[in-house]
Each structure stands twice: as structure tokens, then as C-alpha cells.
Amino acid sequence: MKYTHTHAHTSTPLWSAVWAMSMCAMVLVASEFMPGSLLTPIASELHMSEGYTGQSIAISGFFALVTSLWLTSWIGHSNRRNVLLFFTLLMGISGIVVTFTSNATVLMIGRALLGVCVGGFWSMSAAVVMRLVPQKEIPKALALLNGGNALSTTVAAPLGSFLGGLIGWRGAFFTIVPLALLALVWQWRSLPSLPAKKRDDGKKTSVKHVLKLLKRTDVCFGMLGAMFLFMGQFALFTYLRPFLESVTGVGVEVLSLILLAMGFSGLVGTFAMGSVLKTSLYRLLIGTPLLMMVIALSLIYVGSSLSAVFVLLSIWGFLGTSIPVAWWTWLSQTFPHEAEAGGVLMVAIIQFAITMGASMGGLFFDTLGYEATFVFSSVSLACSMLMAFMIALQKSLHVKA
């Protein structure tokens, strides 16, 4: 099915294409965060510290940031279908590079390639999905895409640590390759031709245009809020395995179980979030980071108790996996006519936050210990709560005015 008019949404929903993109998102997210659950074995085999190995998440975040900002300038008028297929292929190549890495440099190169895929795919995903289904089906399609993300966050970490225990961390990374190929074939079969859309003023979306969105105060607060949330989340999540092994004293089986409980709670949270979003968006954006901050600080005090850690991390999973849906909902309400530019900005901000969270968290972890990493995480989450409060306040004042 070809589009006759690139601005219109398709009249018949192309669910197979949405599912294919959801699968691609799933494999991508699994690849991006897999080093977190395999941090200790990678560090010991490649003779790196845990904090330095954690930079492999920071480097993919950095390259995703650069790609997402300059993507629209680079791809210009290319058909979006071909661009998506290219990024999916690159993801498979990155998996091969990381699997056969012999030292820290090659590991970082493989992760940088993955970062390019993450930045490219996520920046385009919302705008592409909005073209695959009719207007009224957009929320459902976006939820499906984020569902792939949530499911992956559920499975990637526990499966990564479990497979790492069975077939080694290289084997765990290689499982990404056939999945990436499957996603490539499925998208190739199901995606229609997606010619580049012109903006209403006929110009391309440029970096300057994307950054111009930040001139609005609410956008500025919102982007800072999302940034601090992800920064706090990934500062803690990246260094969870060494914390659980050294402080709580768990083996690989219990570690996998804790990560699975976190992921499963996150999946439940994502679906529960859908019903609450319509009425309480700002309450969620303010309340979630507050609870996550309390958990981050509590872990420092009860870290040696397995049952307390298990309960706290399950709640963390419930909140942390589902809150991105709230920020993307805020984005779609704030930029109803600037989907591509708004998506690019949000992805850039999130990747910047992951880069900062993983790198600063690693720095604190190596120099001052896990307590400093967890305090850094809670301070970031407190800032996110403050920013969300500022948007809500500005909105209520605007309504009264």
C-alpha cells in the first residue's frame, strides 16, 4: 500500500507494520541495556573496573544523542522505510562486533554503532507509527510500540544475566543477532513506502528548528524533568548488579530472579499507567520520581536484607518502566503538530540523560562506592519532581488566566 498524500494518516491501520516496529524496539532496548546485567563478567574478562564497563551504556547513549539530533538533516528526503531497515541491519552488525570483542576499545566501537541505531530508530518511531494507523488508533499504536519497550525491559536484564551464567556474556550478546535479522525481514515485508513529509512551512526539520522548541518555558521544564528522571534511573540501574552481588550478596540465579521481578512489575505498571494517564498525568509526573527517590535512599540502609531489596526493587520496576509513557503522553499533548521535531528532542534529551547517569554513576561507584551513586540518583529524581511541579503550576496558572 502506497501513500498518495504523505500528510494524511492511513485509512486502514497497518497493524503488522506496527507489531514489526514494536519487535524492533524490543530488540533495540534489550541490546542497549544488556551490559547492565552482565557488568561483572564483562569487567573481569576484559580487565576493566565496573564503573568503566558501565561507560559502555554511556557511549551508546552519547552516539544515540548525536544521531537523534542530526538525523533529520542527514536523512533529508530519504524514504523513511529504507532508513528504518538500515538501522535494523546496523543493530545486527553491532551485536556481532560486541560478541567477538577482544578489548575495551572494540567493545566501545560496537556499542557506539548500537547508539546510532537507538538514536535513529527512536527519533523516527513515533512519527512513523502515527502514519501507519488512522488518527483515532494512534494512542493504541504508540502503546504497542512502548509495550515492546516495556516487555524488553522486563526480559532483557534477567535473561541477560541468566544466559550469561549459562553460555557466557558473549553468547548472551549474540542472541541479539538472529532477533535483529527477524525484525529486519518482518519490517521489510510489512512496512509500506514512507516518503519524507514536509513540514507545514515546506522546510525540513533541522537541529536549529528542534532546539527552537526549547524557547517555550513549559517545553524547557518538561525536557529537564524527563532528563533528570532518566539520569536518576540509569545512574542506579546500571550499577545494580555489582551492588546486589557485593552488598546483598546474591548469586546469578537470585540476581536474575530480582531483575525478572523488576521487569514484570514494570510491565504491570505500563498497562496500569494507561488508565490513570487520562486523568492524572501531572500527579504521575510529580509522584513517581518522589517515590523512586525514597526507594534509592532506602536501598542504602537496607541493602543487606534480601527481602527488603526485593520488594523495593519491584516497586522501582513498576514505577520506572511505566513513567516514560507519561512523558511521551505529555510530549504528544504539547506538540500535536510537531511530532517528528518533538520526538527528536525527547530522544536526544533521554539519551543525554542515560549518558550522564551511567557515566556519573560509574565515576561515583568507582571512587566513593555505591552509596554515592544512589544519592546522585535520588538528587536527580528530586529535580525531576520539581520540574514536573513547575509545569503543572504553570498550566494551572495559565488555565486560571
Side-chain angles (χ1 to χ4, degrees), residues 254-267:
V254 181
L255 172 78
S256 302
L257 192 68
I258 291 173
L259 292 170
L260 186 65
M262 283 179 78
F264 180 72
S265 306
L267 203 57

Side-chain angles (χ1 to χ4, degrees), residues 276-288:
V276 189
L277 270 177
K278 296 179 183 73
T279 51
S280 314
L281 178 63
Y282 292 101
R283 275 184 221 151
L284 284 172
L285 294 177
I286 296 165
T288 304

Side-chain angles (χ1 to χ4, degrees), residues 45-130:
E45 192 182 324
L46 297 179
H47 310 295
M48 298 150 74
S49 72
E50 270 111 351
Y52 184 43
T53 312
Q55 308 305 329
S56 64
I57 286 185
I59 196 159
S60 61
F62 174 75
F63 275 86
L65 164 71
V66 174
T67 309
S68 61
L69 272 180
W70 272 272
L71 178 79
T72 40
S73 311
W74 292 339
I75 61 175
H77 295 298
S78 310
N79 193 303
R80 298 310 189 234
R81 175 184 189 268
N82 301 339
V83 179
L84 282 175
L85 294 176
F86 168 74
F87 285 131
T88 313
L89 179 65
L90 199 62
M91 171 168 67
I93 294 168
S94 145
I96 293 169
V97 173
V98 173
T99 303
F100 298 106
T101 181
S102 52
N103 55 40
T105 314
V106 181
L107 173 72
M108 295 303 177
I109 291 169
R111 299 293 300 166
L113 282 178
L114 181 74
V116 172
C117 310
V118 172
F121 183 87
W122 278 114
S123 307
M124 295 167 60
S125 59
V128 168
V129 162
M130 285 167 78

Side-chain angles (χ1 to χ4, degrees), residues 68 122-123 126 213 328 331 335 338-348:
S68 61
W122 278 114
S123 307
L213 299 176
W328 282 103
L331 182 86
F335 304 116
E338 292 275 17
E340 201 167 282
V344 166
L345 184 59
M346 185 66 124
V347 170

Side-chain angles (χ1 to χ4, degrees), residues 326-370:
W327 277 114
W328 282 103
T329 305
W330 169 83
L331 182 86
S332 65
Q333 289 178 7
T334 312
F335 304 116
H337 307 298
E338 292 275 17
E340 201 167 282
V344 166
L345 184 59
M346 185 66 124
V347 170
I349 293 283
I350 291 171
Q351 293 304 331
F352 173 73
I354 291 171
T355 307
M356 290 303 292
S359 57
M360 294 295 288
L363 196 66
F364 285 127
F365 195 90
D366 277 352
T367 52
L368 299 167
Y370 76 91

